[in-house]
Every structure is written in C-alpha cells, then in structure tokens.
Amino acid sequence: MTNESRVAMKASNIENSSVVATIPVGQKPVGVAVDVHDHVFVANSGATTVSVINAVTNKVSATLNVGLYPESVATDPQFGVYVANGGTFTVSALDRFHALVATIVVGGPPGHPTPDRLRVGVDHLMSRAYVANRGLGRVSIIKISSDPPALTHDFTALPGPLGVVVDPVSHRVFVTQPDHNKVSVIDPIQGDMWSIPVGLHPTGIAFDPQRHRTYVANSGFKTVSMLDMTTGGVSNIDVGANPTGVAADSHGRVYVTHPDGLVRVIDPNSASVTARVPVGSQPQGLAFEPHSNRVYVANRGDGTVSVIDLTRD
C-alpha cells in the first residue's frame, strides 16, 4: 500500500466516526481530562462538581464535590486529579482514589467571579501543576509531589493567561492570551519566555508530542493556529467560525469544538478539516481517551458528554 493510500484510508475512516453515546453529567460541563485508569473527568461549571465517567461502560461512576465554577481539570498518573475552580480562585487536589486532599488558594481579584478565570495543566516528570490565572495575570505553580500538594512561591507574570498545556519532553509550558492574540511559551529549564502571535482571541490549546506541534483555537475568528515547534513555523487552518476547544489523538488528528454543535476534525497530513461530527449543544472542552480510542466532548448547553468513537487504523 502506498503512503497516499494510507492517508486516504485514514481520512475515510475518520469520516465514519460518530457519536456512540450521550452521557448526562452535571450542569454546564466545560472541561474534560482523562487518566490512565479508564476514567474521564468532566468539570461541571454550573454544579460545583466533577463527573467521573468509566470509559469502559460509558457511565458516570462517581460525582466529586469541588469548588465554585470548576472550569478546568488535569490529571497525573501518580499524584491524582487537579480541578481549577474559577469561582473561588482555588485548585481542588484529589488523590488517585479521587479523595480530596487539599484545596489550594491561588488568589484572584475581588468582585463577582466570571467565566474563563482559571485553567490547569500538569507536567508529570517535573511534578508540577501550572495554573493560568487570568484575573491575577500570572501562571502559578503547584508542587504536586508534596504532601499535601502546595502552591510554590514561584510564578510567571503574564497578562491575561487562559489555556495552558505542557510539552512532556521539553517541559515547556504553552499559554494562550485571548486579549493579546498570542501564545506565550515558558521554558522552566532555561528560565526563558517568548511569545508567538496567533489568531483572534485564542482560548483552547493542545499539544501533539509525536509531531511536536501545538494547536490553538482562535475563538474570535475561524482558524486553528498550528505551531511547529521543530521549525518555528506558524500556519492557520480554516475550521469554521468560533473554534473553542481543541484536542489531539494518538495519530495526530485534531478535534475542535464549535458553538454550532459540531466537532471538526483536522488531518495532520493535509492540515485541513476532513470530517464534521455533530455532538451536543454548545460543546467546549474535549479529550482523547487512548484505551477506548474515543473522544469525549463536554456539551455546556445541555449538560451532557458526547462520546465519539474513532475507527481504528
């Protein structure tokens, strides 16, 4: 089989992907993360809870109480689950058995909380959780290996940070800045930081470690910016209006949520949209679960999670 045939087959397979389950969770689900034990964690921003979905049965197995307006969740295979609560400016730290072990105050400005305040990402090998605090204009660090997990004194000042993702190899931290139309890259090893211009109002961000690419959803326009961290090149992929969340699977395919109730799929070889999958109302966060080969999509508008089954290549 030629390489062109393989590419065509992959494109055809992904076009056959469809929603195989719709799972009721809590109110206004927005953030999604998976762990290595077939669990999918969904931050219910309107219910102060996190729903835990069993990826084998596609049923909710537990509901965890966290803080006000949980809007982002990240996992670590050794140290547990971290939930960023934008309403209380805290991070709920749960152990591997999903028991609450710490509520870490990261701080925020006074006044009534608004959405899109806190996001969290984890670097396992560095034993760190990075918290993008839009209200304070900083990226804070939690030492997740301490008992209990605790906020360190170190932080990076950064105007209006939001989405955060970590390259597990270089340990660089990528942070979207919606109000400044750029992504800042923090290198904790070298102590450097630089910015990369992207599209309008970047929000969601994902990293593809195999191809060393970062994908950024530019919610103020209709593009996803692809940052090639090997060459330093930046290209923009037309995906349709107002992309919000973004995630990559093990083949490098990229999944993008849109408020029109669709998930667009980007093929990494052609750098173009090859499929559109209808999901629920106002989809936002999403995550790829490798054991089941499925993508889980949080539908903020109807309190559900759509499960997209990916045909194995």
Side-chain angles (χ1 to χ4, degrees), residues 30-34 40-44 49-52 64 66 70-76 80-85 91-92 94 118-122 164 286-287:
V30 291
V32 187
V34 303
V40 181
F41 300 88
V42 184
N44 301 310
T49 61
V50 168
S51 297
V52 184
L64 312 175
V66 289
E71 55 187 4
S72 175
V73 58
T75 67
D76 181 89
V81 183
Y82 303 88
V83 184
N85 307 304
V91 172
S92 298
L94 304 101
L118 297 182
R119 300 283 173 89
V120 61
V122 166
V164 56
L286 70 172

Side-chain angles (χ1 to χ4, degrees), residues 251-294:
H251 292 290
R253 292 176 297 222
V254 179
Y255 303 82
V256 187
T257 56
H258 295 260
D260 61 1
L262 290 177
V263 169
R264 268 85 169 180
V265 185
I266 299 172
D267 177 79
N269 300 295
S270 65
S272 63
V273 172
T274 57
R276 295 162 180 81
V277 183
V279 288
S281 173
Q282 300 175 31
Q284 293 208 356
L286 70 172
F288 171 67
E289 204 291 304
H291 297 155
S292 62
N293 202 35
R294 293 169 177 164

